[in-house]
Amino acid sequence: MLGQRFVSFIRPLTRAYAPKWPRPKPGTAERPPYRAPDPLINNPSATVTPLLDEDLTFIHRPPPTAPSPISYTTNPISPLLKPFSQTSSALPPLLRPSAEKSTPQRLTAEQIAEIRRLRALDPVKWTRGRLAKKFECTQQFVALVAATKKSTRAKLIQRRDEEHAANRAKWSEKRSLVAAISQKRRQYW
Amino acid sequence: MGHVQRRLASTTARLASSLSTAHLQKFPPKELLYIKGREIPTATIDPDTWASLQSPPPTALSAFAHRIGLSSVLTSTEAIQQVCTHPSFVQLLKQHKPHEQEPATNAQLSAIGNSLMGLFATEYIRATYPYLPTRVMKAAVTAHVGPLPCANVAQEMGATPLLRWHRSRGTILKPGVLHSDALASIPRALTALVYQRRSLPSARQFVHSYFLSREIDLRGMIKFLDPKKALLEMVKKFQRELPKSRLLKETGRFSNSPVFVVGIFSGEDQLGEGFGSSLKMAEYRAAEDALLRVYLTRTPPHLVQLPSQTFPVGVGDVYRELPEGDYTPADLVESEIMYASSGNSFTRSS
């Protein structure tokens, strides 16, 4: 009787997904199909718990990017709450190329005075961005150091908003719809 | 079932509140019978109004006290009756039965109980979540012991048929009374009664078992306008390196369904991680995750120390000359960031 029992699960000799043949044509941009690694095999974050009373094995494989919701004061998950420790390890690449820039040098008192003079002279011509580029500092620094008067600022902002609203009125219905959809999507981030 | 039918069903259920007439000496009463000699017979009182004026049977009151486990505290039916009588009922009674004695209401008890519940909930949440921002802590206190959970707990206790109240519209000077307002007064009055007849630790135990054991989703209460700015302020407070976002994983860039996984790092420590269909979205979520990891850090339940533990146990008030209870105050943690907090709410500038 044992000999007549067949193996209930027979591993197929050929995969159904990402087949090996037909091979990618050499000398072309074709590449072999991507074989995703099986998350069930050799998962480093898997925790195996034998449940002896039920004669079962419980294997928990959390998704790799799920943030842990459990954080205790005795064992916090945020590095801010843990004592500072330096570990040298290779870090993933920065998100945007602008982050690679180093912090700008401190400006001298004369340069700051010059920024203030130009800004007071003609805030429409000497905008924050233009001054930042000229003196090699950030726009925020220019705003901190040479802020325009509240009344002037309010007028400039109002003029800018009116200009933008006039441009938006010229948009086609489809473009307005796309912009509205992306604005709504922003709420669901 | 349409919404009209549902509303009718709920109204009928509220009105026809299992009124038993077994405890009445005479039924039907004179008021409900037609007046003899009148051409068109009319009852002096509307049956629904008559039903709302009746007190519940003493058996129901006693059963209620036993059901909630306070039969030793609520020894007399008068006490239970007082707990279940909202002050709005007095006006109704005076209108229809002007010669009857004014019943004792739960107005004062409800006020005391409300303060006590606020105290217990605040100290518990503060002790459990030391890093939680103030505005979220206030929302959590409301979610635990606010008017809505109080009304729900009263319904779960089965106090709805015992409640004596009267619906009133709100005026400019006085707020209106709804069913949930009247129901909410019952657990508050019970807390105050336990405090008066037993002790403050007993009242705290009552509130903990009925209100602070309920599941609250704190994560859903925390919303951010600019999580990157908030995280920057927080990192500066903890005196760490400024946060920088790094791309951990990506797929499908330039397709119609990309997925990016971004981590926010302070130096080499990863503070938070988030995914999204755009780089900005993933970064936003990573900043949110980094903040939530700090805010939702909780004290293990067996290590929670409440300041009201210092009050002496045993029947009696808190002013007795007895040795204080054990209390180890928790270490002070970094204060909350000022961005998107209420600031100094009581100063003129804010």
Side-chain angles (χ1 to χ4, degrees), chain B residues 143-162:
Chain B
H144 273 293
V145 294
L148 194 64
C150 280
N152 288 336
V153 165
Q155 281 179 323
E156 286 165 21
M157 282 173 172
T160 319
L162 310 172

Side-chain angles (χ1 to χ4, degrees), chain B residues 14-15 17 31 44-55 84-103 105 163-169 174 177 182:
Chain B
R14 247 185 275 139
L15 288 174
S17 49
E31 307 95 84
T44 52
I45 195 166
D46 172 52
D48 287 327
T49 319
W50 181 86
S52 58
L53 283 168
Q54 296 314 301
S55 55
C84 297
T85 307
H86 192 259
S88 60
F89 179 70
V90 176
Q91 184 209 354
L92 180 72
L93 193 70
K94 276 206 168 127
Q95 203 182 329
H96 294 280
K97 291 185 181 173
H99 306 294
E100 220 174 275
Q101 196 194 14
E102 254 186 50
T105 67
L163 175 68
R164 292 194 300 176
W165 72 298
H166 179 56
R167 186 184 296 273
S168 67
R169 215 170 251 247
K174 224 169 53 159
V177 176

